[in-house]
Amino acid sequence: MKPRPSFPARLDATLAKTRPNPHGAVVSTAVAASKSVAQAALAKPTVVPTARAKAPLPHAPHMPQGHGMDSQAVRQRMVQKLAGQGVTDPLVLGAMGAIERHRFVDSALVNQAYEDTSLPIGLGQTISKPGVVSRMIELLRNGATGRVGRVLEIGTGCGYQAAVLSLVADEVYSIERLRGLHDKARENLRHLRLPNVHLLFGDGMAGYAKGAPYAGIIAAAGGEAVPQAWVDQLVVGGRLVAPVVTGGGTQALLVLDKTPQGVRQTLLEAVHFVPLKSGIA
Ligand code: SAH
């Protein structure tokens, strides 16, 4: 067992003080009691666990069936395509096959859920393409055979990538700056009961220092540069994968390795992500 920083224990202590709200979600009493949730979040992101009980299976058999997307076969076809595009990490391919992407998009878009395309999720944001999600998570894992340690995701969106990450990492902290999407992700993830996913509402530009250090940081929104806070919150030996704006307003995938000798950065292929923005809304 790898030694783990004391943070989860302290977080659990905080969560022990949580109470269920009428909709069955869990809210932090500290935040619920404050006058302005938004103001509280500015100072300190809200931690919302997606499940209280441990449940091993990442599927939801009690959900409505019958639109043809419930079949494992449709996901397996997607996984084969991802493998054909060069994704080889068995844990990543397994996770992509297990998480039902159609449950994260609007019903009108369900038929496109297993195509390699980004789709709108509201508030001008998108769920990333499966090809990009699997590529970035494979890069993040950097050849690990088992699960990687604690991971921070910037840009929860609808929660899809957080769900995939939950199957390949020990703990997932995912932060979103738009309240509407943070709530949507909480709703989407509730049925999956993923006890190792922690949703945060706040500005991910500052990372989430309380969870640091992270074995991996993955961003789903692209800025001009990688915020120093992200690098600071990465463990030595950890890896960050993020879209960054390059010349001419285009974006490319950046892989940043934090080594004992310093930071090593590698720019990879062009990508198209929504912009990384400051503040919360
Ligand atoms: N991983 C998501 C992709 C969502 S798109 C999914 O699987 O659906 C990227 C998200 O990043 C958007 O929801 C956007 O609101 C969010 N975002 C942009 N800047 C951010 C910031 N500074 N902090 C947190 N989230 C941010």
Side-chain angles (χ1 to χ4, degrees):
M1 282 276 285
K2 275 180 280 179
R4 295 170 45 155
S6 60
F7 172 67
R10 292 207 306 275
L11 179 67
D12 289 347
T14 310
L15 297 182
K17 283 185 235 142
T18 60
R19 59 173 173 78
N21 75 9
H23 308 293
V26 177
V27 294
S28 154
T29 42
V31 170
S34 72
K35 277 205 183 106
S36 160
V37 171
Q39 276 170 1
L42 257 182
K44 184 176 171 226
T46 315
V47 181
V48 182
T50 59
R52 277 167 289 159
K54 277 197 196 289
L57 287 179
H59 69 167
H62 54 285
M63 299 275 288
Q65 310 260 315
H67 42 58
M69 292 291 143
D70 301 304
S71 157
Q72 184 65 21
V74 71
R75 265 184 308 289
Q76 280 318 312
R77 276 197 294 280
M78 178 188 81
V79 167
Q80 276 161 16
K81 281 190 202 149
L82 298 175
Q85 289 168 22
V87 178
T88 58
D89 187 326
L91 238 57
V92 175
L93 291 172
M96 296 299 292
I99 299 298
E100 299 179 318
R101 190 170 184 259
H102 68 277
R103 299 198 189 277
F104 291 82
V105 299
D106 279 359
S107 51
L109 299 171
V110 153
N111 290 335
Q112 296 172 66
Y114 296 103
E115 291 170 16
D116 196 14
T117 178
S118 55
L119 294 168
I121 53 173
L123 301 179
Q125 309 303 316
T126 53
I127 180 173
S128 309
K129 291 161 70 152
V132 171
V133 170
S134 53
R135 164 86 170 134
M136 287 178 74
I137 297 179
E138 179 167 73
L139 285 167
L140 187 78
R141 287 175 43 74
N142 197 11
T145 45
R147 289 179 182 236
V148 288
R150 185 177 311 144
V151 166
L152 174 68
E153 179 192 34
I154 319 293
T156 314
C158 64
Y160 172 71
Q161 180 167 270
V164 176
L165 284 168
S166 78
L167 301 182
V168 306
D170 288 338
E171 297 288 332
V172 180
Y173 294 86
S174 182
I175 188 160
E176 172 59 54
R177 64 178 290 274
L178 297 178
R179 168 61 83 179
L181 287 176
H182 167 77
D183 289 345
K184 180 181 262 195
R186 187 172 45 188
E187 182 64 32
N188 285 341
L189 292 175
R190 183 184 301 155
H191 304 286
L192 295 179
R193 295 170 187 264
L194 303 169
N196 63 338
V197 175
H198 311 282
L199 299 183
L200 312 157
F201 173 56
D203 182 356
M205 294 276 252
Y208 184 60
K210 280 191 162 184
Y214 299 99
I217 298 182
I218 187 166
E224 299 287 330
V226 168
Q228 184 59 39
W230 299 359
V231 180
D232 294 344
Q233 291 172 23
L234 206 55
V235 76
V236 174
R239 176 173 268 201
L240 180 155
V241 183
V244 285
V245 176
T246 53
T250 55
Q251 293 175 341
L253 265 192
L254 173 75
V255 170
L256 183 153
D257 288 305
K258 187 165 172 181
T259 76
Q261 291 76 38
V263 159
R264 188 176 56 232
Q265 304 192 51
T266 315
L267 264 188
L268 300 172
E269 69 268 23
V271 284
H272 300 282
F273 278 85
V274 295
L276 182 71
K277 292 190 176 171
S278 300
I280 54 169

